[in-house]
Amino acid sequence: MEEVNLGKVQELVDIVKTCSTEYYDCEIICTVDKNSGNLTYIKYIQPMALTMTTQRLTQMNAVFGMTFESEYVIDY
């Protein structure tokens, strides 16, 4: 799973001065090949609340609820 932090947020929105994340109910779903023991599929489900403060002319506070999903098929 990928971490959301201040540096990543500021790459997208440069007026963000602070941010924090609260992750909850994260899931990892995967498939392992029984014969080889290799991981062949994985899916990350990452719900989070992102709280941030922006500063340009005035200071604004915001909270966003979002879910990131990442899915990978692994070929060996």
Side-chain angles (χ1 to χ4, degrees):
M1 294 185 178
E2 290 191 39
E3 174 193 13
V4 175
N5 58 38
L6 181 60
K8 286 187 180 183
V9 172
Q10 286 178 330
E11 286 176 15
L12 301 171
V13 183
D14 64 346
I15 63 172
V16 173
K17 299 302 174 199
T18 65
C19 76
S20 64
T21 52
E22 179 183 338
Y23 300 96
Y24 56 92
D25 298 333
C26 295
E27 287 183 68
I28 298 174
I29 301 165
C30 66
T31 303
V32 175
D33 181 72
K34 185 176 180 177
N35 295 325
S36 67
N38 290 337
L39 182 68
T40 58
Y41 169 84
I42 193 159
K43 180 177 184 177
Y44 302 105
I45 303 169
Q46 186 179 9
M48 63 182 276
L50 175 64
T51 303
M52 67 175 69
T53 302
T54 61
Q55 181 72 49
R56 182 136 304 160
L57 299 175
T58 61
Q59 181 172 305
M60 298 178 75
N61 298 308
V63 178
F64 298 94
M66 59 188 80
T67 299
F68 292 103
E69 290 189 25
S70 303
E71 191 172 24
Y72 304 92
V73 175
I74 304 159
D75 294 321
Y76 293 88

